Amino acid sequence: MDIKFMNAALSEAKKAFEIGETPIGAVIVKDDKIIARAYNRRETKKNALMHAEISAIDKACRKLGGWRLCGCDMYVTLEPCPMCAGAIIQARIENVFFGAYDNKAGAFGSTCDLSGLLAHKVKATGGILEEQSSEIIKRFFKKLRKKEI
Amino acid sequence: MDIKFMNAALSEAKKAFEIGETPIGAVIVKDDKIIARAYNRRETKKNALMHAEISAIDKACRKLGGWRLCGCDMYVTLEPCPMCAGAIIQARIENVFFGAYDNKAGAFGSTCDLSGLLAHKVKATGGILEEQSSEIIKRFFKKLRKKEI
């Protein structure tokens, strides 16, 4: 775990914030280098699949030219939902480091734990830069309620 | 539930079989019409996300121009994995009808049940054209073991 990569995921979350999307960002790291960066664009793209994690996995598969992201870790600002946790498993990602916990949809411990369910096991660790990851989301919803977005 | 839509999903699975992919097919139905058809292309596209269900949801979102597939049902030949079950929930699909059960990765009852986990509930029904859905997958793996693929 290297905190600089969670900071990079937070930078992605900020990009989502700026365009009025729920601010969640993700990066995928291999051999100590970021190979994919993405942020949530569900509203902009009008597509249910466009969570940060899914877009990052899509980019990483294209970059590496294969569906197995062996030796790759993901850093993401919010605990992944079942879709994203499932995609992380499908892509054979080894470690997931996430920021804030999501008690409504988090699938690495909060609503269920998919990390050890299937043949490929993922090691998931939460609470990395938790406060910053959580704060940007709270700020977004505060703004949304004030109808500033 | 209309059996003709599961037959359409089976036709998609056959397309996957023909190109050497694990034969799983899916269709999305709205107002008694198929709005998206897709089949598994994980190997061909070298992408972990390219399960039949994900591709079908992607197509349906593009077709309807929004991320909420309200009033839509999915027919898929194999019980969805956590990634696909999660995507079905994210896309607000109402009913899922699946063919064969998947005791290794199925997420609507076999390894876990995601249908009622989050705020949006999905009604999932398995065993529709189960024998045909299962048989094509068995035939595929038999061929694979004989190295005919």
Side-chain angles (χ1 to χ4, degrees):
Chain A
M1 203 284 293
D2 190 329
I3 208 78
K4 73 177 180 222
F5 296 129
M6 190 57 94
N7 272 310
L10 266 169
S11 295
E12 292 301 304
K14 281 170 198 159
K15 292 181 194 169
F17 188 96
E18 279 157 22
I19 60 162
E21 294 272 3
T22 307
I24 301 154
V27 301
I28 295 176
V29 174
K30 189 181 165 87
D31 299 332
D32 211 40
K33 275 181 198 140
I34 294 175
I35 61 161
R37 301 169 193 263
Y39 53 93
N40 174 41
R41 290 177 304 162
R42 187 173 68 167
E43 300 291 343
T44 317
K45 291 286 181 182
K46 300 176 189 301
N47 193 315
L49 306 171
M50 292 292 129
H51 283 193
E53 301 95 312
I54 299 286
S55 297
I57 289 170
D58 187 42
K59 285 181 183 178
C61 288
R62 287 168 200 265
K63 186 141 186 178
L64 298 183
W67 64 263
R68 291 177 193 84
L69 302 181
C70 301
C72 290
D73 295 338
M74 181 184 282
Y75 289 72
V76 54
T77 58
L78 185 69
E79 184 182 357
C81 75
M83 170 177 75
C84 295
I88 286 163
I89 297 164
Q90 286 294 345
R92 310 288 191 262
I93 284 175
E94 294 188 5
N95 296 285
V96 176
F97 303 103
F98 62 88
Y101 291 86
D102 182 359
N103 62 12
K104 284 194 185 123
F108 283 137
S110 292
T111 67
C112 64
D113 188 1
L114 299 178
S115 65
L117 187 74
L118 305 187
H120 175 75
K121 316 291 179 200
V122 176
K123 196 160 181 282
T125 311
I128 319 287
L129 294 186
E130 184 176 0
E131 207 177 299
Q132 293 96 313
S133 298
S134 168
E135 190 275 333
I136 190 173
I137 295 175
K138 282 181 195 157
R139 194 149 48 91
F140 173 79
F141 282 108
K142 208 168 167 180
K143 225 176 151 182
L144 194 69
R145 277 193 298 271
K146 282 189 188 166
K147 292 180 182 165
E148 289 171 10
I149 293 171
Chain B
M1 205 284 291
D2 190 327
I3 208 79
K4 73 178 178 221
F5 296 129
M6 190 55 96
N7 273 310
L10 265 169
S11 295
E12 293 300 305
K14 281 171 198 156
K15 291 180 194 169
F17 187 97
E18 279 157 23
I19 60 162
E21 294 272 4
T22 307
I24 301 154
V27 300
I28 295 175
V29 174
K30 188 180 166 87
D31 299 331
D32 210 40
K33 276 180 198 142
I34 294 175
I35 61 161
R37 302 169 192 261
Y39 53 93
N40 174 40
R41 290 176 305 163
R42 187 173 68 167
E43 299 292 343
T44 317
K45 292 284 180 183
K46 301 177 189 302
N47 193 315
L49 306 170
M50 292 292 131
H51 282 193
E53 301 95 312
I54 298 285
S55 298
I57 289 171
D58 187 42
K59 285 181 184 179
C61 287
R62 287 167 201 265
K63 186 142 187 177
L64 298 182
W67 64 263
R68 290 176 192 85
L69 302 180
C70 301
C72 290
D73 295 338
M74 181 184 282
Y75 290 72
V76 54
T77 57
L78 185 69
E79 184 182 358
C81 75
M83 169 177 76
C84 294
I88 285 162
I89 296 164
Q90 286 293 346
R92 310 290 190 261
I93 284 175
E94 295 189 4
N95 297 285
V96 176
F97 303 104
F98 63 88
Y101 292 86
D102 182 0
N103 63 12
K104 284 195 187 122
F108 283 137
S110 291
T111 66
C112 65
D113 188 1
L114 299 179
S115 65
L117 187 74
L118 305 188
H120 175 75
K121 316 291 178 199
V122 176
K123 196 160 180 282
T125 312
I128 319 286
L129 294 186
E130 183 176 2
E131 207 178 301
Q132 293 95 313
S133 298
S134 169
E135 190 275 333
I136 190 173
I137 295 174
K138 282 182 195 157
R139 193 150 49 90
F140 172 80
F141 282 107
K142 208 168 168 181
K143 225 175 150 183
L144 194 70
R145 276 192 299 272
K146 282 188 187 166
K147 292 179 183 168
E148 287 171 12
I149 292 170

